[in-house]
């Protein structure tokens, strides 16, 4: 049973200033997501599912999806502010005016009907490296749909930083190779003018804390079986009831994953990648990504042309 790859591509890109999910970074018009799909296919994933917004569907198809779908089993589903809400009139009135998606956990639930095997989850704007797909793909292929031993690939914090601004990372606590907790740190950055320093600081709940750079962090590269959906739905129902009127509240996948552990409804095995991250958080990151991809093509890691037309 081949696992699926679920791509979270419905974000607004507010810090980037555009639809970064389909911005060109390759030598033949490829997006960063082309390289994720290519790696997943090489690592024996059976299909890829994208979660997108309706307003980017046309561009998404023209700039990415139609090309990938000719070479890989692919489909997409929509995430909207109305997705998974009830018809309750109170809910309708309370969420009025919301344009922002409800977060990464909500996005995963939007794709539930498209997922009938164990699946990996990735962000659309992060580069993960083929070894991570290979590791997670092998693990997910070894378990069945009812297994409650899920997985994640963690990264070394110092290899996931940006010199163009702060980043959001989930700092992981592990024991004997299993995840104990994830603490979302939404503002981690290098010190110094223009983020040029060597020290790394996190601002959390109004307090600054120095970090070593060696912490294991979540980059939203998880692996779940369909058994996780029952727990995710419970989390979403509780979140929705408590946050329906909050226009910017988000149900986050790492938080919901941590809740599975707290409730003793499953475990999450932690693999660690030594890959250096690059991604499209800020507009200034684009050239960094293009250069990194060009280097990988030059070294033979990727062919100059990923897909046949």
């Amino acid at each position: 049973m081949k696992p699926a790859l679920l791509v979270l591509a419905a974000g607004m890109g507010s810090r980037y200033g555009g639809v970064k999910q389909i911005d060109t970074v390759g030598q033949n018009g490829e997006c960063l997501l082309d390289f994720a799909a290519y790696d997943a296919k090489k690592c024996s994933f059976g299909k890829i599912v994208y979660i997108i917004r309706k307003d980017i569907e046309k561009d998404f198809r023209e700039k990415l999806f139609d090309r990938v779908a000719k070479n890989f089993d692919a489909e997409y589903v929509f995430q909207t502010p109305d997705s998974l809400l009830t018809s309750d009139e109170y809910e309708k009135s309370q969420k009025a005016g919301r344009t922002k998606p409800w977060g990464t956990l909500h996005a995963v639930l939007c794709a539930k009907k498209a997922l009938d095997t164990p699946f990996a989850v990735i962000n659309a704007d992060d580069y993960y490296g083929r070894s991570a797909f290979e590791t997670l793909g092998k693990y997910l292929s070894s378990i069945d749909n009812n297994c409650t031993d899920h997985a994640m690939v963690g990264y070394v914090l110092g290899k996931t930083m940006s010199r163009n601004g702060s980043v959001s990372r989930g700092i992981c606590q592990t024991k004997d190779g299993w995840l104990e907790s994830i603490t979302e740190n939404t503002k981690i950055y290098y010190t110094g003018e223009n983020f040029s320093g060597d020290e790394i600081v996190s601002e959390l709940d109004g307090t600054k804390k120095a970090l070593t750079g060696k912490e294991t962090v979540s980059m939203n590269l998880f692996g779940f079986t369909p058994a996780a959906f029952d727990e995710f739905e419970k989390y979403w129902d509780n979140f929705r009831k408590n946050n329906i009127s909050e226009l910017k509240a988000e149900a986050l996948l790492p938080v919901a994953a941590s809740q599975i552990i707290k409730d003793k409804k499953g475990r999450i095995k932690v693999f660690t990648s030594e890959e250096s991250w690059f991604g499209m958080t800020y507009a200034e990151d684009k050239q960094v990504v293009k250069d990194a991809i060009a280097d990988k093509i030059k070294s033979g890691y990727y062919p100059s042309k990923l897909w046949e037309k």
Side-chain angles (χ1 to χ4, degrees):
M1 180 168 51
K2 291 186 175 182
L5 177 63
L6 180 62
V7 181
L8 309 182
M12 302 293 283
S14 55
R15 288 182 291 181
Y16 186 79
V19 187
K20 55 187 173 180
Q21 301 93 315
I22 50 178
D23 208 352
T24 298
V25 297
Q27 296 178 351
N28 292 282
E30 297 94 348
C31 312
L32 193 57
L33 284 177
D34 279 290
F35 296 93
Y38 181 87
D39 285 341
K41 186 177 181 183
K42 285 188 72 71
C43 295
S44 300
F45 280 77
K47 72 173 183 178
I48 187 166
V49 180
Y50 300 94
I51 302 173
I52 67 169
R53 306 192 312 270
K54 287 184 177 180
D55 63 290
I56 68 168
E57 180 182 15
K58 183 177 183 295
D59 286 343
F60 173 77
R61 291 195 65 104
E62 291 176 353
K63 295 184 178 182
L64 174 72
F65 181 80
D66 290 346
R67 176 174 60 244
V68 173
K70 290 178 181 178
N71 295 274
F72 198 11
D73 183 4
E75 63 180 293
Y76 60 89
V77 297
F78 295 116
Q79 180 186 18
T80 74
D82 292 329
S83 299
L84 308 181
L85 297 184
T86 70
S87 58
D88 182 83
E89 290 301 321
Y90 174 76
E91 277 200 0
K92 287 182 179 180
S93 66
Q94 289 299 299
K95 66 86 184 171
R98 185 180 180 101
T99 58
K100 187 179 180 68
W102 284 98
T104 48
L105 183 277
H106 179 257
V108 170
L109 285 173
C110 288
K112 178 181 178 181
K113 291 182 180 179
L115 298 167
D116 58 2
T117 66
F119 60 96
V121 182
I122 65 170
N123 294 331
D125 54 351
D126 291 319
Y127 177 85
Y128 293 94
R130 192 176 303 155
S131 62
F133 287 109
E134 185 175 7
T135 297
L136 201 51
K138 185 180 295 185
Y139 178 75
L140 293 174
S141 296
S142 72
I143 58 179
D144 62 34
N145 283 359
N146 297 315
C147 181
T148 56
D149 283 347
H150 309 292
M152 65 166 284
V153 177
Y155 289 74
V156 179
L157 173 61
K159 294 185 176 183
T160 73
M161 297 292 293
S162 172
R163 290 289 182 180
N164 294 312
S166 66
V167 296
S168 178
R169 301 286 182 257
I171 296 181
C172 303
Q173 297 296 322
T174 64
K175 183 178 180 180
D176 300 326
W178 294 91
L179 184 67
E180 289 195 313
S181 66
I182 301 177
T183 302
E184 282 297 307
N185 287 242
T186 57
K187 189 176 182 180
I188 302 177
Y189 54 91
Y190 283 112
T191 57
E193 187 176 356
N194 297 322
F195 309 102
S196 60
D198 295 324
E199 296 181 352
I200 298 174
V201 169
S202 170
E203 289 188 23
L204 183 64
D205 297 329
T207 301
K208 291 184 179 180
K209 178 182 178 181
L211 300 175
T212 67
K214 296 180 180 180
E215 293 83 358
T216 297
V217 296
S218 164
M219 299 295 294
N220 257 12
L221 179 49
F222 288 99
F224 297 107
T225 70
F229 280 121
D230 285 345
E231 301 309 313
F232 287 162
E233 286 171 339
K234 291 176 186 176
Y235 181 90
W236 166 247
D237 285 345
N238 185 63
F239 177 89
R240 190 189 74 246
K241 291 173 183 175
N242 290 311
N243 295 276
I244 190 63
S245 61
E246 299 295 328
L247 298 184
K248 294 185 178 181
E250 294 184 76
L252 300 176
L253 180 60
V255 180
S258 295
Q259 194 65 44
I260 288 178
I261 300 169
K262 290 178 183 178
D263 293 343
K264 300 186 184 306
K265 298 296 184 178
R267 302 187 296 174
I268 298 178
K269 186 174 182 63
V270 179
F271 300 99
T272 303
S273 173
E274 293 297 324
E275 290 265 6
S276 291
W277 167 90
F278 52 87
M280 309 273 279
T281 305
Y282 299 93
E284 295 84 355
D285 292 329
K286 181 176 179 178
Q287 190 59 50
V288 176
V289 171
K290 291 181 72 172
D291 291 345
I293 291 295
D295 287 344
K296 287 183 177 293
I297 292 171
K298 186 177 181 179
S299 71
Y301 192 90
Y302 292 114
S304 59
K305 186 176 182 181
L306 287 184
W307 310 112
E308 296 298 325
K309 290 186 178 180

